[in-house]
Amino acid sequence: MKMLEEKLKIDKIPKGTVIDHIDAGYALTILNLTGLDESKNLMTIGVNVSSKKYQTKDIIKIENVFLDETQMQQISILSPNATISLIENYKVIEKKKVKMPKTIKKLILCVNQTCISNSGEPISTEFTVLEEKPLKIQCVYCERIYKLEEIVFTSKEKKGKKVKQRIQL
Ligand SMILES: [Zn+2]
């Protein structure tokens, strides 16, 4: 039984990306936010997989896809413990931890209507990360503070589509 479990968990892909140690319950939000949900490539998604380190975690494996910097940042905001492994010929050629930037630019909207970032001026949003976990960020313009469940993400590919994240943390 143990062997079978292990095999299911680490079912290998020939080439692509494995996003591991995603906070349990966030895999679908990450797929949605990064736009990976629109990929035609083969994907395996594990939700609430048992994990030695974090009890439960989510995991995403996607063939033939490598993440860009924006997608990595989006993942870091939702799951600061996530690791990204790049796979070639069934082997991990690179493994890295996502790194949350000190300031988050453009990826998040400030919902404060009087904030200058909503004034119609060509000003991109910018937030300072006050705390990573639990996440606390502050708009550099109006100084409003947001927790993870209050964040509204921007998305280039899906303008107007608001990403719903898991409310219960
Ligand atoms: Zn603001």
Side-chain angles (χ1 to χ4, degrees):
M1 192 56 203
K2 189 92 212 307
M3 285 282 284
L4 180 64
E5 269 175 36
E6 289 301 312
K7 190 178 175 307
L8 285 173
K9 267 184 242 171
I10 53 168
D11 201 17
K12 294 200 170 138
I13 58 172
K15 182 185 173 188
T17 302
V18 176
I19 312 167
D20 200 356
H21 302 293
I22 299 167
D23 287 11
Y26 278 97
L28 299 178
T29 308
I30 284 175
L31 287 174
N32 188 275
L33 182 62
T34 54
L36 290 171
D37 59 346
E38 286 171 2
S39 165
K40 299 278 180 280
N41 292 287
L42 179 65
M43 246 183 281
T44 319
I45 301 158
V47 174
N48 296 326
V49 179
S50 67
S51 155
K52 280 187 200 113
K53 228 172 166 182
Y54 304 110
Q55 296 185 326
T56 56
K57 63 176 183 179
D58 287 1
I59 182 165
I60 298 168
K61 291 167 199 183
I62 179 162
E63 283 191 17
N64 301 315
V65 168
F66 297 103
L67 304 178
D68 62 30
E69 201 47 49
T70 302
Q71 290 170 318
M72 302 267 287
Q73 282 194 16
Q74 289 168 326
I75 294 168
S76 78
I77 296 165
L78 291 167
S79 275
N81 298 320
T83 57
I84 313 283
S85 298
L86 308 182
I87 314 292
E88 291 268 15
N89 296 317
Y90 295 94
K91 287 204 172 73
V92 176
I93 54 159
E94 197 186 337
K95 186 171 181 172
K96 48 192 168 187
K97 218 173 165 291
V98 292
K99 204 167 173 289
M100 196 183 292
K102 289 201 168 52
T103 55
I104 301 168
K105 294 175 184 172
K106 295 182 186 176
L107 296 179
I108 292 169
L109 293 173
C110 182
V111 298
N112 176 5
Q113 285 310 307
T114 61
C115 179
I116 193 161
S117 68
N118 288 317
S119 65
E121 301 287 325
I123 295 170
S124 300
T125 62
E126 190 172 333
F127 295 84
T128 307
V129 177
L130 302 177
E131 279 168 42
E132 284 198 14
K133 206 160 183 170
L135 187 69
K136 212 164 131 191
I137 60 168
Q138 184 172 35
C139 176
V140 298
Y141 303 112
C142 69
E143 301 188 329
R144 181 159 167 169
I145 291 174
Y146 293 85
K147 290 187 278 186
L148 181 57
E149 64 271 23
E150 297 165 335
I151 289 175
V152 178
F153 288 95
T154 56
S155 175
K156 249 185 217 149
E157 294 76 20
K158 303 173 185 178
K159 266 218 160 84
K161 183 174 176 186
K162 282 181 187 166
V163 175
K164 252 192 170 167
Q165 58 264 46
R166 192 167 170 256
I167 298 299
Q168 204 192 341
L169 296 172

